[in-house]
Amino acid sequence: MPGLPSGSSLVRLATLAALVFVFAGCSTKEPFEEPAPVPDIEDTVELEPVWTMHVGDGHVDQFLYLAPLNTGDLLYAASADGEVYAVESGNGKVVWYREVDAQVFAGVGGDREQLYLVTRDARLMALSREDGEVLWDTPLPNEVLATPQSNGTIVVVQTTDGKVLSFDTKNGEKAWQYDSVVPVLSMRAAAPPLVGSELVLAGFANGKLLGLAADSGQPVWQYEVGQPKGRTELERLVDVTSQPLILENAALVVGYQGKLALVNLRNGDEIWSREASSLHSPMVGAGSIYVSSANGDIRAFRGSDRRELWTQDRLSWRQTTQPVVYDDYLLVGDFEGYIHIMSLEDGSLQGQLEFDDDGLRVPAQRLRNGNLLVYGNSGKMTVFELKERD
């Protein structure tokens, strides 16, 4: 993942301030906190690599979220320096490789026919899933850090200045555009829009989650995930920088300095909510909800009544990633490249692996065969099995 300057100067000022905020890991309500040291634990489980490879130079020391696209049998991964791979998920065999003539800023998105990337010079590109050939590209009004999302008919992107744009997947022609009001200061991040057949869900830096009509971009409903409070712009940050999680006919959403809430997809009405602060999507598993808090604490809530079950605070200020459920365990990465394995039952740390010296920003993903995909900031991509230690 807020005489004043105006125009581009104001954008640069907001971006710089937000970057300082994100990298420092500080809280707007507490003094600056140093990251907790790597916990000293006794491993009871371990991650065993199945295969590993490198995807270019990864994020090339840029603050990007280039998550691989997992389609089941195939993985599609890109690096900031323009290398794109299609890889068999079971064994790591490269099916095809392509170098695009641009630096990649966001991706990889996709549908059944195409892949989507956004370049550093703000262009949306469509690539063939068959061989990576560039099929079309179209200019965007501003930079995009969130992965493009498609329902097969349209592909939707969200810019860092609060615009949501829809394009025809066949030729890249713009279908519609929605403009939101962006606060003076916001995170250098944007939530990937969630694109369905009838509704597009988009979270914004002003703390709002909007349901937009997929065919026109017209607002259908809005929900306030966070309400700005406080005297300073930092205190008033309420960005929604994570994609909602769909649970049947509702969306589970969380915001920074806002709340964790379940929202009716039909009309945007709140079903329930509780106070929370996170930059990452929540995770659901084993009847519970798991949140990687903005301060690095991992919290578990019982799904039936939202009662807090446990908090793991030994990872405070380590810029933890979105959690992922793996059998009886919960895994997160951190800014120093460690993977931490916790018990779902009580949050106790059960295992640890130093994976990438450049850090982990992209959350791990479960594959169809049950294994775990991890993509580090350096471009290191590995599939693991989780095993009990003898």
Side-chain angles (χ1 to χ4, degrees):
M1 350 263 217
L4 289 175
S6 60
S8 60
S9 297
L10 181 59
V11 172
R12 286 194 294 270
L13 177 63
T15 298
L16 177 60
L19 276 172
V20 171
F21 173 79
V22 170
F23 278 110
C26 61
S27 167
T28 63
K29 297 179 180 176
E30 301 176 24
F32 172 76
E33 297 282 352
E34 292 288 341
V38 179
D40 185 13
I41 67 170
E42 183 176 345
D43 293 342
T44 63
V45 292
E46 60 186 356
L47 291 169
E48 183 175 297
V50 177
W51 58 261
T52 190
M53 63 174 289
H54 268 80
V55 181
D57 290 326
H59 293 109
V60 197
D61 297 325
Q62 300 180 74
F63 197 77
L64 304 176
Y65 289 84
L66 299 178
L69 176 65
N70 171 20
T71 65
D73 294 334
L74 289 180
L75 306 172
Y76 299 93
S79 63
D81 51 348
E83 296 189 16
V84 186
Y85 290 83
V87 181
E88 291 185 4
S89 60
N91 55 23
K93 178 184 176 181
V94 175
V95 177
W96 57 256
Y97 161 77
R98 174 80 62 168
E99 286 188 51
V100 297
D101 188 21
Q103 291 187 319
V104 177
F105 234 42
V108 179
D111 50 40
R112 292 187 177 184
E113 301 294 332
Q114 298 174 167
L115 306 174
Y116 304 99
L117 303 172
V118 177
T119 65
R120 184 182 182 90
D121 60 352
R123 299 188 70 86
L124 173 63
M125 302 177 65
L127 282 66
S128 166
R129 275 181 53 166
E130 292 298 320
D131 57 11
E133 178 188 0
V134 177
L135 302 176
W136 54 258
D137 74 275
T138 189
L140 301 171
N142 208 330
E143 70 177 10
V144 169
L145 297 176
T147 302
Q149 302 290 311
S150 173
N151 63 9
T153 302
I154 59 171
V155 54
V156 180
V157 297
Q158 185 165 344
T159 65
T160 54
D161 62 348
K163 294 179 175 63
V164 182
L165 302 102
S166 168
F167 299 88
D168 190 318
T169 58
K170 293 186 179 65
N171 51 29
E173 291 185 1
K174 189 167 79 171
W176 52 259
Q177 177 174 325
Y178 175 84
D179 296 346
S180 71
V181 178
V182 177
V184 172
L185 183 63
S186 63
M187 300 287 186
R188 183 176 162 75
L194 191 61
V195 183
S197 58
E198 298 181 0
L199 202 64
V200 173
L201 299 186
F204 296 95
N206 58 12
K208 300 291 198 322
L209 175 71
L210 261 67
L212 306 172
D215 59 352
S216 66
Q218 291 299 310
V220 178
W221 53 258
Q222 72 172 18
Y223 175 76
E224 192 172 70
V225 183
Q227 185 175 15
K229 299 176 183 177
R231 293 175 295 177
T232 70
E233 294 298 335
L234 282 174
E235 289 176 327
R236 295 174 63 81
L237 283 169
V238 289
D239 296 54
V240 179
T241 62
S242 62
Q243 191 178 59
L245 182 66
I246 300 303
L247 302 174
E248 296 182 353
N249 296 316
L252 186 64
V253 62
V254 67
Y256 178 72
Q257 296 188 144
K259 51 191 173 182
L260 172 70
L262 190 67
V263 180
N264 189 311
L265 279 176
R266 181 175 59 83
N267 53 23
D269 287 350
E270 179 180 289
I271 300 171
W272 58 256
S273 69
R274 63 164 299 148
E275 185 177 345
S277 179
S278 179
L279 303 173
H280 304 295
S281 300
M283 177 59 63
V284 172
S288 297
I289 303 167
Y290 306 95
V291 174
S292 178
S293 299
N295 69 351
D297 291 352
I298 310 301
R299 304 172 70 191
F301 304 95
R302 190 162 60 191
S304 58
D305 59 7
R306 278 75 63 195
R307 182 175 70 85
E308 186 164 326
L309 299 175
W310 51 259
T311 296
Q312 173 54 260
D313 61 3
R314 297 178 68 187
L315 305 177
S316 294
W317 308 110
R318 294 193 61 82
Q319 299 175 35
T320 48
T321 65
Q322 177 192 8
V324 59
V325 173
Y326 192 129
D327 297 337
D328 296 329
Y329 302 95
L330 190 73
L331 289 81
V332 298
D334 72 22
F335 79 107
E336 287 189 313
Y338 284 86
I339 302 170
H340 305 277
I341 308 170
M342 290 161 278
S343 163
L344 286 182
E345 183 178 0
D346 59 10
S348 59
L349 289 163
Q350 300 295 315
Q352 185 181 95
L353 174 69
E354 186 177 5
F355 176 73
D356 190 333
D357 289 341
D358 284 0
L360 284 164
R361 197 173 303 120
V362 171
Q365 300 181 52
R366 289 298 301 274
L367 301 180
R368 180 179 293 173
N369 62 8
N371 290 337
L372 188 77
L373 171 69
V374 181
Y375 182 45
N377 294 349
S378 73
K380 182 180 180 182
M381 187 167 71
T382 301
V383 166
F384 290 101
E385 288 182 300
L386 183 67
K387 294 191 174 181
E388 305 278 342
R389 297 198 74 172
D390 297 330

